[in-house]
Amino acid sequence: MITAAICFIVMIVTYRPQASYRKGMLFAISLPEHAIVHDGIREIQAGFKRRFARANWLMLLLLVPVAILYALPAYQTVYYLLWICVYFVVGTVPFRRAFREMLALKRDNDWFVGEKRVIQSDLRVAQLKNRRSAPVALFAIPAAMSAGLMVWMAQEGSDFIGLGVAAGLVTVLFLLISLGTRRAKARVYSMNSDVNVSLNQARRRAWSYLWLMMAIVENIHVALIYQAAANGSEDGLGVWLTITLAFTAIPLGSILYVHRKVRALEQELLEQDDKIVYTDDDEYWANGFTYHNPNDKSLLVPKRIGIGETINTGTLAGKLIAGGVLGLLAAVVVGVSFMLIRSELTSPTMTLMPDSTVSIDYPMYSFDFSLSDIQELSLVDEIPSGTKLNGEATGTQARGHFRLKGLGKTRLYVFKNNPPYIRIKLDKVYIFYNDKDPLRTAELFEELARSAPSSK
């Protein structure tokens, strides 16, 4: 958690807003060449920089409680999740205001740029099936990898089958993105149709192959995660960190490479062309970030700010996607927060029932077993290292399904770094349990030892 917070601090401190005039656009507003010297624009730029700096210092100040809550990891994580949500809202406020000010200034000065509301042009060739894009049939490769992962994990046990399903869903997601990229609105660069066709074909080809590569890479990612989780090792943290860093760097690096390659090609061809077309559709770009044009039936359009494409919320599909993404993010934040706070406030309880069964009560991970099923019973001071399969793990607690080194499948109901721990071996699973009070743990162990047939 602290590491993630430090990364955000570095990002805020080192980030510099792109407030300069570039390629006929400033703050996502298209402008004529002569407008950049206007005093009003310089005032808007200066105001943006001041507001952007204040917003970042405010968010840095609001990050202080993350360190204060170090002893309460559940509340620390919840606060950090909320902080991230607030940051992505507050961080865009300066740009949104600059966008509105720039749009008002443009209207006041009647700075009209190029043809208005250009949606389609003489690009029928580019809108046809693009033979130069990655063939859809190639997605059979990551699909086969996903199917193989699911079969492999199912044979090894059901604990990791969710990873295989996730690999399949990721493959489908990248396939849908690739199809959306092929059908995205063709960009109008020039009055020269050959230039338009060439650039649109090159753009679609580059991005379609990227999504195919990403689907393959993510399947490899899932396979490595499974290997690391299933095998377990003393240097598990280092393995996980290496995998995470590598498979974060590869997609990001690939996206940046494709983006720069396409931009370089655009610049190269357009520098040799004297029929460049400028479009003036600022009114469809709400705050410079989101595109809403009911007259444009394209689902995906090139971003004005950032890399890649964005959805057109003026279409029904665009509205559904935007609503679904926001709903999913809200569900994740609320769900994770609920589980963490519940884990902080609720402790597992072990009870020896009159019918000679042992009941461990804990939401979602309750478990009952008979005393006659106990094969080994001991009181230990350490728990082997391992990985979480399905459960809750914070700096102070671990509850749910785990796989421990040398033991295999294990159910943990423990307060970490708080020995002793009751270790119970059943037919196909181990159980570790302790109470927050070590004396109570010892009492429970003695009660089990007196009643368990294996100890007599």
Side-chain angles (χ1 to χ4, degrees):
M1 179 59 63
I2 295 298
T3 302
I6 292 173
C7 291
F8 258 104
I9 292 175
V10 173
M11 181 187 71
I12 293 173
V13 173
T14 59
Y15 175 70
R16 292 295 180 267
Q18 297 296 321
S20 60
Y21 181 78
R22 184 179 61 186
K23 293 186 179 180
M25 192 168 295
L26 181 64
F27 296 117
I29 296 295
S30 53
L31 297 171
E33 292 283 347
H34 63 83
I36 192 60
V37 298
H38 194 279
D39 290 338
I41 288 182
R42 294 176 180 174
E43 292 178 3
I44 293 174
Q45 288 177 307
F48 166 77
K49 291 179 180 179
R50 289 194 301 271
R51 289 188 291 271
F52 185 82
R54 286 200 297 266
N56 281 326
W57 281 113
L58 172 63
M59 293 311 300
L60 283 173
L61 182 63
L62 292 177
L63 196 59
V64 172
V66 172
I68 297 176
L69 293 171
Y70 179 77
L72 300 170
Y75 297 102
Q76 181 192 51
T77 303
V78 172
Y79 182 87
Y80 184 63
L81 289 174
L82 294 175
W83 182 88
I84 291 175
C85 295
V86 172
Y87 176 80
F88 282 111
V89 173
V90 174
T92 63
V93 169
F95 187 91
R96 292 172 181 267
R97 179 170 173 178
F99 173 88
R100 293 192 297 269
E101 291 176 348
M102 187 65 68
L103 185 58
L105 183 65
K106 177 179 177 178
R107 289 171 176 169
D108 291 342
N109 288 275
D110 196 23
W111 288 333
F112 179 72
V113 181
E115 188 174 353
K116 200 172 186 65
R117 300 174 187 172
V118 173
I119 299 173
Q120 303 267 348
S121 183
D122 185 17
L123 296 172
R124 286 175 291 180
V125 176
Q127 294 285 41
L128 296 176
K129 183 178 180 181
N130 194 332
R131 296 179 181 176
R132 298 180 61 188
S133 297
V136 177
L138 289 179
F139 271 88
I141 298 174
M145 295 173 67
S146 300
L149 285 171
M150 283 187 275
V151 172
W152 180 27
M153 293 174 187
Q155 291 176 344
E156 295 294 326
S158 61
D159 294 329
F160 291 97
I161 192 65
L163 274 177
V165 174
L169 293 176
V170 168
T171 298
V172 172
L173 174 63
F174 282 121
L175 172 60
L176 294 176
I177 294 175
S178 180
L179 293 175
T181 300
R182 298 161 194 267
R183 298 171 183 173
K185 182 179 74 172
R187 295 187 65 174
V188 180
Y189 298 93
S190 169
M191 294 297 292
N192 186 337
S193 294
D194 291 336
V195 172
N196 289 326
V197 171
S198 298
L199 289 178
N200 278 285
Q201 286 179 332
R203 179 167 60 91
R204 287 171 177 154
R205 173 184 172 83
W207 287 106
S208 64
Y209 274 102
L210 172 69
W211 303 132
L212 173 63
M213 184 274 291
M214 294 274 277
I216 294 173
V217 167
E218 287 307 312
N219 275 276
I220 297 173
H221 188 188
V222 169
L224 292 177
I225 288 177
Y226 171 67
Q227 282 289 86
N231 295 335
S233 62
E234 293 295 338
D235 59 345
L237 180 59
V239 173
W240 277 95
L241 184 59
T242 301
I243 294 175
T244 300
L245 291 178
F247 285 89
T248 299
I250 291 174
L252 289 178
S254 300
I255 291 173
L256 288 173
Y257 171 77
V258 171
H259 173 70
R260 291 179 178 178
K261 181 178 179 180
V262 172
R263 284 294 176 89
L265 181 60
E266 291 175 357
Q267 184 176 358
E268 177 185 351
L269 292 184
L270 293 179
E271 283 179 351
Q272 302 172 10
D273 182 66
D274 58 355
K275 299 179 180 179
I276 298 176
V277 172
Y278 294 97
T279 61
D280 197 339
D281 55 356
D282 299 327
E283 65 268 30
Y284 297 127
W285 289 90
N287 296 315
F289 293 104
T290 55
Y291 182 73
H292 184 89
N293 185 356
N295 299 317
D296 185 353
K297 301 306 178 184
S298 302
L299 175 61
L300 298 175
V301 296
K303 289 182 179 180
R304 280 194 166 187
I305 300 296
I307 297 174
E309 298 182 333
T310 188
I311 60 173
N312 177 12
T313 56
T315 63
L316 176 60
K319 291 184 177 70
L320 292 176
I321 292 174
V325 169
L326 291 176
L328 179 61
L329 290 175
V332 169
V333 172
V334 173
V336 170
S337 300
F338 171 77
M339 292 182 65
L340 289 171
I341 292 176
R342 183 194 64 188
S343 178
E344 189 76 24
L345 299 178
T346 306
S347 299
T349 58
M350 176 182 285
T351 306
L352 180 58
M353 309 299 289
D355 60 353
S356 297
T357 61
V358 179
S359 176
I360 301 178
D361 185 30
Y362 186 72
M364 293 179 62
Y365 303 107
S366 295
F367 187 61
D368 296 336
F369 58 93
S370 174
L371 284 170
S372 60
D373 294 333
I374 298 177
Q375 298 179 358
E376 294 180 11
L377 178 66
S378 57
L379 196 64
V380 299
D381 291 329
E382 294 183 354
I383 299 176
S385 60
T387 55
K388 181 180 70 175
L389 303 179
N390 179 17
E392 305 168 6
T394 68
T396 58
Q397 302 158 78
R399 285 89 184 257
H401 302 270
F402 292 73
R403 184 183 293 272
L404 302 187
K405 184 179 180 182
L407 300 181
K409 295 181 181 179
T410 307
R411 285 177 173 263
L412 295 184
Y413 303 91
V414 300
F415 293 90
K416 294 181 178 179
N417 302 315
N418 188 44
Y421 308 97
I422 300 173
R423 171 175 149 167
I424 303 172
K425 180 183 178 182
L426 303 181
D427 183 25
K428 296 181 179 180
V429 67
Y430 282 84
I431 298 173
F432 282 82
Y433 178 92
N434 72 337
D435 193 270
K436 194 170 185 178
D437 181 0
L439 293 178
R440 175 57 183 160
T441 302
E443 291 174 358
L444 283 171
F445 173 75
E446 293 296 333
E447 185 178 0
L448 289 172
R450 287 194 300 269
S451 303
S454 60
S455 63
K456 296 178 180 180

